[in-house]
C-alpha cells in the first residue's frame, strides 16, 4: 500500500464521522434551515474540531449563505471542505535543520502522549535516510523510561546517552550534546518526562533543558516538538499554549490517529494555534509515523 | 482563557433578560445556550449534553427565583444538582471476593495510566491489610514488564511475570496458582494499552476474562479525553462488561467532561481518580467535586449552597 492509501485508510473513521456525515446530513434537507445548520455544527463538534473552531466555521457558513455563495444544502459540503482545507494549508511547515553540527530535536508533552514511541519512530526515519542518530534519555523520572528508550535505540541503531534513574535531566542533556558533537552525530533527539502543562516546577525543568541545549549549540534546539494525543479534547489548546511558554514549540506530533474517529482535532489545533502539525502517529510500530502534509490530509479526509 | 466561567456567562445573559418572579421559557432557553457551551468546552460528549440540557430545561422552566439567589444562580444550582446526580454516588469500593484471591484487571487505551494505577491500587490495598500481587500482562509495549517491576520494587510488592514469548492469557492464568502459593489475596493484572477498535486485541481481553473471571474490571480513562471517550467506554463495556472506571491525570487543568460521558454511557461508577504520577496519588471519586470542576466554578457553588 502506498503512503497515500495508508493515510487514507488511517483516516477512514474520521472520514466516516466528519465528511460522510456532512454528506448524509445535507441529503436530508430540501432547503437550508436552522435544523440543518444545527446538524452540521453537531457533526463538527463530535469530530473534536473544537468549540471555537466550530463556531468560526459556522459563522463562515452563515456569511456564505448571506453572500449567496451557498444556495442549496448540496453547496454546504464543498464550501466546508474549502474552508477546512484553507485552515489546514495556512503557514508552511518545513523541518529546521542545523547548518553544521548536530540538529537537536527536543520532544515534550503531557504524560503518556506518545513521546518515547515517537522518538523511536523518528530515529528509524532518520536512520533510513542515512543520518547518524543519538538519543538522550532525559526522562529520568518514570519507571523504566530509560529501558524503554534503550529498546528503541537498539531497534533503530541509535546510541542512547543515559544517567541513572532519578538523576538531573539537564545533566543528561548536557552530556548528550557533548557526545553528539564529539561523535559527529547528525540528529540528537531528547526524550523528556511527561508533564502536565500546569506543573510549574516541571515546566521550569524543561526551561533548564532548553537553556542547556542552547548554550552548548547556538540555535538549538532546532526543533521542539510537542507530542499531542489525538484523543485529547479541548485541553490540547492549553497544552500547546503552556508548553510554548517554557520551550518554544516549533511543531506538533499528533499521535494515535489510527484509533480515534476524531482526526478532526487536527483542524481545531491548526485553527486555534499557530503551530504547524509536522508528524502524525498512526500506530505503535516503528514505521507508523508520517510527515504531515496538509494537502494529503485534506484530500484523504474528503476522499478525493 | 478561552473558557469563561459559566457563572459569568449566565450573569451576562440574565442581565439582558428580565428574570423576575418565575423563570420563563425564553429565559431558560437563553441560559441553556450558555450551559451547553460550557459543557461542550469541558469535553462532555455532544449527545450526553443534549439529553442533559433537555432535562435541566424541564426543571428550570417555571422555577421561582428566590430573593437570595439571582436567576443565574438558580440555573446553576439546578445544573449542578443534576450533574452531581448523573455522576452517581461516592464509589470507592472495589468488589472484594469472599474467597481469595480477588482478581482485578486494568484495561484501557494506550498511555491512559493503567500500569501506574495498578501500582497505586496495590499500595492502597496493602494499606488496608491486603497482600497484593501485580501481574505483568503487557507483552507488547517496550519495557512494560520492567516498568511494573520497578514499581513493585519501589513498593515492595511482588510482581508476577513470565518469559518473553508467553501469551497474555497464559500469564494471567498462571498468576492465580502463583498467588495462592505465595499467600497473595489480591491479583492486579496490568494489561497492554489497546484501541477499542482493535478486534484482535479486544479478543485477547475477553479471553483473559473468561480464563480468570476477574471480580473487578477497571477501565482507566485519561481526564483529557475528548469526544471519543464515549466510543471507547462503550466498546470496552460492550466487550468486557466493566465494573468501574478510574479517571487519571486529574491533577492538571482538564475539565474532565469525559467523566460524565463515560458514566452516562456505561452506567459504571467512577471508583477512583488519579491525582499525580506518585504512587500515593490515588483518591476516591467525589461526584460533587467533579461537577463543579466540569462547570469550572468551585467558589460560586459554595456561595450558592450557603444561600
Ligand atoms: N495506537 C497508537 N499507540 C501509540 C502511538 N504512539 C504511541 N502509542 C502508544 O502509547 C503509549 C504511550 O506511549 P509512550 O511513547 O510511552 O508515551 P510517552 O509520552 O513517552 O509517555 P510518558 O513518558 O510516560 O509521559 C504506548 O503504549 C505506545 O505504544 C500511535 O501513534 N498509535
Ligand atoms: N500527572 C499524572 N500522570 C499520571 C497519572 N497516572 C499516570 N500518569 C502518567 O501517565 C503516563 C502513562 O502512564 P502508564 O501507567 O504507563 O500508562 P499505561 O496505560 O500503562 O500505558 P500503556 O501501557 O503504554 O498503554 C506515565 O508518565 C505516568 O506517570 C496521574 O494521575 N497524573
Ligand atoms: Mg516517555
Ligand atoms: Mg502500561
Amino acid at each position: 500500500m502506498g503512503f497515500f492509501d495508508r493515510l487514507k485508510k488511517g483516516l477512514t473513521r474520521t472520514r466516516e464521522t466528519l465528511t460522510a456525515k456532512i454528506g448524509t446530513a445535507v441529503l436530508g434537507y430540501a432547503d437550508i434551515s436552522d435544523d440543518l445548520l444545527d446538524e452540521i455544527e453537531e457533526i463538527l463538534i463530535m469530530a473534536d474540531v473544537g468549540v471555537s473552531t466550530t463556531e468560526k466555521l459556522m459563522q463562515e457558513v452563515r456569511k456564505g449563505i448571506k453572500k449567496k455563495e451557498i444556495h442549496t444544502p448540496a453547496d454546504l459540503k464543498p464550501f466546508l471542505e474549502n474552508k477546512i482545507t484553507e485552515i489546514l494549508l495556512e503557514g508552511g511547515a518545513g523541518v529546521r535543520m542545523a547548518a553544521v553540527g548536530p540538529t537537536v530535536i527536543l520532544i515534550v508533552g503531557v504524560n503518556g502522549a506518545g513521546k518515547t514511541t515517537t522518538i523511536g519512530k523518528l530515529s528509524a526515519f532518520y536512520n533510513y535516510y542515512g543520518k547518524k542518530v543519538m538519543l538522550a534519555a532525559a526522562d529520568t523520572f518514570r519507571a523504566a523510561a530509560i529501558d524503554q528508550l534503550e529498546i528503541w535505540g537498539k531497534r533503530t541503531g541509535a546510541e542512547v546517552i543515559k544517567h541513572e534513574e532519578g538523576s538531573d535531566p539537564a545533566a543528561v542533556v548536557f552530556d548528550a550534546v557533548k557526545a553528539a558533537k564529539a561523535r559527529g552525530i547528525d540528529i540528537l533527539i531528547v526524550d523528556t518526562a511527561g508533564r502536565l502543562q500546569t506543573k510549574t516546577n516541571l515546566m521550569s525543568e524543561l526551561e533548564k533543558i532548553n537553556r542547556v541545549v542552547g548554550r552548548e549549540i547556538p540555535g538549538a534546539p532546532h526543533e521542539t516538538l510537542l507530542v499531542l494525543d489525538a484523543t485529547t479534547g479541548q485541553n490540547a489548546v492549553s497544552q500547546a499554549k503552556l508548553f510554548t511558554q517554557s520551550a518554544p514549540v516549533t511543531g506538533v506530533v499528533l499521535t494515535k490517529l489510527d484509533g480515534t474517529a476524531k482526526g478532526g482535532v487536527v483542524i481545531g489545533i491548526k485553527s486555534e494555534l499557530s503551530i504547524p502539525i509536522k508528524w502524525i502517529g498512526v500506530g505503535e510500530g516503528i514505521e507508523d509515523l508520517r510527515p504531515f502534509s496538509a494537502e494529503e490530509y485534506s484530500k484523504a479526509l474528503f476522499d478525493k | 482563557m478561552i473558557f469563561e466561567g459559566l457563572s459569568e456567562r449566565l450573569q451576562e445573559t440574565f442581565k439582558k433578560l428580565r428574570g423576575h418572579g418565575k423563570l420563563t421559557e425564553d429565559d431558560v432557553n437563553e441560559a441553556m445556550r450558555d450551559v451547553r457551551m460550557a459543557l461542550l468546552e469541558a469535553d462532555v460528549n455532544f449527545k450526553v449534553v443534549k439529553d442533559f440540557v433537555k432535562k435541566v430545561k424541564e426543571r428550570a422552566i417555571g422555577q421561582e427565583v428566590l430573593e437570595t439567589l439571582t436567576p443565574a444562580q438558580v440555573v446553576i444550582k439546578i445544573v449542578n444538582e443534576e450533574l452531581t446526580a448523573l455522576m452517581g454516588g461516592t464509589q470507592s469500593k472495589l468488589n472484594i471476593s469472599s474467597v481469595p484471591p480477588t482478581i482485578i484487571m486494568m484495561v484501557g487505551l494506550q498511555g491512559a495510566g493503567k500500569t501506574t494505577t495498578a501500582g497505586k491500587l496495590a499500595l492502597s490495598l496493602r494499606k488496608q491489610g491486603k497482600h497484593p500481587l501485580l501481574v505483568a500482562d503487557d507483552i507488547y509495549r517496550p519495557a512494560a514488564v520492567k516498568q511494573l517491576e520497578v514499581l513493585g520494587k519501589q513498593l515492595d510488592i511482588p510482581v508476577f511475570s513470565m518469559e518473553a514469548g508467553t501469551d497474555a492469557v497464559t500469564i494471567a492464568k498462571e498468576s492465580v496458582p502463583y498467588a495462592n502459593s505465595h499467600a497473595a489475596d489480591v491479583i492486579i493484572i496490568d494489561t497492554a494499552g489497546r484501541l477499542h477498535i482493535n478486534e484482535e486485541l479486544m479478543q485477547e481481553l475477553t479471553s483473559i476474562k473468561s480464563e480468570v473471571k476477574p471480580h473487578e474490571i477497571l477501565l482507566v480513562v485519561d481526564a483529557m479525553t475528548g469526544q471519543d471517550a464515549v466510543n471507547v467506554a462503550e466498546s470496552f463495556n460492550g466487550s468486557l462488561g466493566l465494573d468501574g472506571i478510574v479517571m487519571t491525570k486529574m491533577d492538571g487543568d482538564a475539565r474532565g467532561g469525559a467523566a460524565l460521558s463515560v458514566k452516562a454511557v456505561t452506567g459504571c461508577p467512577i471508583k477512583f481518580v488519579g491525582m499525580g504520577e506518585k504512587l500515593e496519588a490515588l483518591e476516591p471519586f467525589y461526584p460533587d467535586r467533579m461537577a463543579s470542576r466540569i462547570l469550572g466554578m468551585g467558589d460560586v457553588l459554595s456561595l450558592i449552597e450557603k444561600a
Side-chain angles (χ1 to χ4, degrees):
Chain A
M1 217 188 323
F3 165 70
F4 183 66
D5 288 330
R6 278 178 36 192
L7 176 64
K8 204 163 147 180
K9 185 159 172 274
L11 290 174
T12 307
R13 293 176 61 82
T14 307
R15 207 162 42 239
E16 281 164 4
T17 47
L18 184 61
T19 38
K21 271 198 189 157
I22 294 178
T24 315
V26 297
L27 286 180
Y29 292 85
D31 300 299
I32 292 180
S33 63
D34 283 346
D35 282 350
L36 172 58
L37 295 186
D38 283 351
E39 211 173 304
I40 301 279
E41 183 184 27
E42 178 174 334
I43 294 165
L44 290 170
I45 289 193
M46 294 277 278
D48 270 328
V49 168
V51 178
S52 26
T53 308
T54 299
E55 279 192 331
K56 225 191 279 179
L57 283 167
M58 293 313 291
Q59 271 168 19
E60 294 280 351
V61 167
R62 293 206 167 83
K63 259 195 250 159
I65 295 170
K66 252 196 203 140
K67 286 201 271 174
K68 307 253 188 285
E69 289 166 19
I70 303 170
H71 298 280
T72 65
D75 296 337
L76 272 169
K77 196 175 171 217
F79 182 87
L80 277 168
E81 282 180 15
N82 284 337
K83 289 293 165 204
I84 290 172
T85 308
E86 261 172 41
I87 291 176
L88 289 170
L89 289 181
E90 225 169 89
V95 174
R96 286 179 58 211
M97 293 283 208
V100 283
T103 295
V104 182
I105 305 176
L106 181 64
I107 305 292
V108 301
V110 297
N111 310 78
K115 293 175 292 300
T116 310
T117 309
T118 299
I119 291 171
K121 296 171 183 173
L122 279 173
S123 177
F125 179 90
Y126 287 117
N127 182 44
Y128 177 81
Y129 286 101
K131 305 278 186 207
K132 252 178 105 175
V133 183
M134 180 181 271
L135 310 178
D139 178 357
T140 59
F141 179 77
R142 217 212 53 210
I146 302 171
D147 304 78
Q148 187 188 358
L149 192 70
E150 280 192 301
I151 292 174
W152 281 109
K154 250 190 222 120
R155 282 184 188 170
T156 61
E159 189 185 344
V160 177
I161 301 296
K162 57 164 185 177
H163 288 184
E164 279 185 5
E165 211 171 296
S167 58
D168 177 13
V172 179
V173 172
F174 179 81
D175 280 358
V177 173
K178 286 252 184 271
K181 282 203 280 194
R183 281 167 233 178
I185 292 293
D186 298 309
I187 314 253
L188 170 66
I189 312 176
V190 180
D191 189 18
T192 61
R195 66 201 76 218
L196 298 181
Q197 70 276 17
T198 46
K199 307 257 158 119
T200 39
N201 56 333
L202 293 177
M203 294 310 276
S204 37
E205 179 190 278
L206 213 53
E207 280 168 37
K208 189 172 163 201
I209 292 176
N210 203 44
R211 268 201 311 275
V212 167
V213 175
R215 208 185 302 135
E216 293 308 305
I217 302 178
H222 305 87
E223 287 277 0
T224 298
L225 298 179
L226 172 68
V227 179
L228 282 179
D229 182 331
T231 14
T232 310
Q234 303 276 326
N235 196 249
V237 177
S238 163
Q239 290 173 31
K241 276 192 184 152
L242 295 180
F243 269 101
T244 299
Q245 285 173 14
S246 299
V249 174
T250 58
V252 165
V253 183
L254 200 64
T255 60
K256 310 183 196 175
L257 261 178
D258 45 324
T260 95
K262 318 292 184 195
V265 73
V266 169
I267 302 162
I269 289 170
K270 194 65 209 301
S271 151
E272 282 174 48
L273 315 161
S274 46
I275 308 167
I277 294 149
K278 294 204 171 166
W279 300 92
I280 56 177
V282 291
E284 296 182 82
I286 198 163
E287 289 177 346
D288 295 327
L289 186 75
R290 311 265 175 274
F292 178 77
S293 147
E295 288 92 347
E296 305 260 300
Y297 188 87
S298 68
K299 266 200 239 156
L301 196 58
F302 294 113
D303 200 13
K304 279 189 177 148
Chain B
M1 276 297 267
I2 13 160
F3 187 91
E4 208 187 317
L6 175 61
S7 62
E8 286 96 70
R9 264 196 214 166
L10 284 172
Q11 305 284 16
E12 197 55 38
T13 298
F14 277 107
K15 234 192 272 167
K16 288 179 265 163
L17 303 169
R18 251 164 275 121
H20 294 307
K22 284 187 172 132
L23 290 178
T24 67
E25 188 163 354
D26 280 349
D27 292 343
V28 173
N29 280 340
E30 196 72 24
M32 283 310 119
R33 281 232 282 276
D34 296 331
V35 172
R36 179 174 168 276
M37 283 307 271
L39 294 175
L40 287 174
E41 282 177 354
D43 287 319
V44 180
N45 181 266
F46 197 92
K47 287 186 192 135
V48 176
V49 171
K50 239 184 185 169
D51 293 345
F52 181 80
V53 164
K54 200 168 141 226
K55 207 161 165 201
V56 172
K57 212 184 232 172
E58 278 162 14
R59 240 191 92 183
I61 294 173
Q63 189 65 234
E64 295 282 352
V65 178
L66 303 171
E67 273 172 25
T68 42
L69 295 181
T70 66
Q73 286 172 328
V74 172
V75 170
I76 287 171
K77 190 164 187 278
I78 299 172
V79 169
N80 185 48
E81 279 167 12
E82 289 292 330
L83 209 52
T84 310
L86 223 130
M87 223 106 61
T90 317
Q91 290 277 1
S92 56
K93 289 244 164 23
L94 294 167
N95 294 315
I96 298 292
S97 164
S98 50
V99 189
T102 295
I103 302 180
I104 303 171
M105 188 173 159
M106 317 294 298
V107 301
L109 296 182
Q110 287 97 342
K114 295 173 292 301
T115 309
T116 311
T117 307
K120 289 176 178 178
L121 274 179
L123 173 63
S124 138
L125 285 162
R126 192 186 49 202
K127 281 184 186 158
Q128 294 162 39
K130 300 266 184 254
H131 299 89
L133 172 72
L134 288 162
V135 178
D137 210 12
D138 176 355
I139 55 172
Y140 307 103
R141 170 176 167 164
V145 177
K146 185 73 197 286
Q147 185 186 357
L148 198 67
E149 279 170 358
V150 170
L151 297 182
K153 200 179 252 169
Q154 281 171 13
L155 296 170
D156 195 22
I157 284 173
V159 175
F160 178 79
S161 63
M162 288 175 77
E163 64 178 317
T166 316
D167 68 279
V169 181
T170 307
I171 298 172
K173 185 177 150 196
E174 293 298 323
S175 73
V176 182
Y178 182 91
N180 286 331
S181 62
H182 288 76
D185 50 14
V186 183
I187 296 177
I188 304 173
I189 303 174
D190 179 31
T191 66
R194 66 203 73 216
L195 298 169
H196 54 297
I197 53 163
N198 186 326
E199 281 165 27
E200 198 184 319
L201 286 179
M202 291 304 281
Q203 183 58 48
E204 182 191 84
L205 289 181
T206 49
S207 304
I208 296 174
K209 177 186 172 178
S210 50
E211 189 63 54
V212 302
K213 308 204 169 43
H215 305 92
E216 180 86 38
I217 302 181
L218 292 174
L219 176 70
V220 179
V221 182
D222 184 325
M224 297 176 276
T225 317
Q227 293 286 319
D228 213 25
V230 289
N231 301 326
V232 174
E234 255 171 355
S235 304
F236 274 95
N237 194 34
S239 311
L240 294 167
L242 301 171
D243 299 291
I245 289 157
V246 182
M247 291 291 293
T248 59
K249 309 181 198 174
M250 290 277 285
D251 43 325
D253 64 348
R255 301 203 107 72
L260 183 60
S261 308
V262 295
K263 174 76 213 299
V265 300
T266 62
C268 273
I270 299 170
K271 296 200 169 172
F272 300 99
V273 295
M275 292 298 292
E277 296 181 74
K278 300 231 169 73
L279 294 169
E280 295 78 25
L282 188 72
E283 295 180 3
F285 173 75
Y286 298 108
D288 49 339
R289 284 191 206 165
M290 193 68 221
S292 57
R293 178 179 181 132
I294 290 176
L295 297 173
M297 40 197 253
D299 308 348
V300 184
L301 288 177
S302 48
L303 278 177
I304 295 174
E305 268 152 30
K306 278 187 209 122

